[in-house]
Amino acid sequence: MSPLIVQRTLWLAGITLVVAVAALALARRDAGGGHDLPGAVPVRGTASGYYTSRAAPYGPSAGHARTACGDAFTAKTQGIAHPVLPCGVKIYVRFHGKEVLTQVIDRGPNVPGRDFDITKALADRLGLHGTQTIQWRYAR
């Protein structure tokens, strides 16, 4: 057998393995079912399925008319800022019995002791004022 055929066979076997692992991971994720919100993924190792974090509202300013993710930042913009989570990551945020699906739209906060900044419009929707403890989890 020529070295070229062996090399191609190994590449195809490797690609097949990667596709099989990905298919199994997706099948396992979809088999979770039974969550209280459609598309919600429980957080392993937490009693409620949610992380807890500190968050506070923030709004646009003259020097902050666009988010770090490139969106226009207006008084009606709803989303969250996080220093590490990538732009567009969708999460459920829960505060005092209200829960919303939102996404990362900005970087921040730059205040010690806070994990998230929540846009003023989203904070108003949740009834969150000042720095508060929220619950959150990833969405699919």
Side-chain angles (χ1 to χ4, degrees), residues 38-140:
V41 178
V43 177
R44 291 187 180 146
T46 63
S48 68
Y50 285 81
Y51 294 108
T52 58
S53 294
R54 301 286 285 167
Y58 79 117
S61 63
H64 197 191
R66 295 196 85 65
T67 69
C69 299
D71 300 319
F73 193 8
T74 69
K76 295 181 179 180
T77 302
Q78 293 192 24
I80 59 169
H82 191 272
V84 177
L85 293 176
C87 294
V89 168
K90 294 183 187 302
I91 66 168
Y92 288 98
V93 175
R94 185 161 60 180
F95 180 72
H96 285 226
K98 292 183 182 175
E99 188 166 55
V100 296
L101 175 63
T102 190
Q103 68 181 10
V104 175
I105 62 164
D106 207 356
R107 293 287 144 245
N110 298 317
V111 178
R114 277 202 330 238
D115 301 305
F116 290 99
D117 278 338
I118 298 180
T119 62
K120 179 80 168 88
L122 183 58
D124 289 344
R125 186 173 165 192
L126 288 166
L128 186 144
H129 305 287
T131 302
Q132 301 289 335
T133 299
I134 62 165
Q135 294 180 311
W136 69 276
R137 68 177 171 182
Y138 294 102
R140 290 188 207 194

Side-chain angles (χ1 to χ4, degrees), residues 2-15:
S2 77
L4 184 59
I5 293 175
V6 171
Q7 185 180 17
R8 284 184 181 173
T9 303
L10 289 174
W11 271 104
L12 286 173
I15 291 169

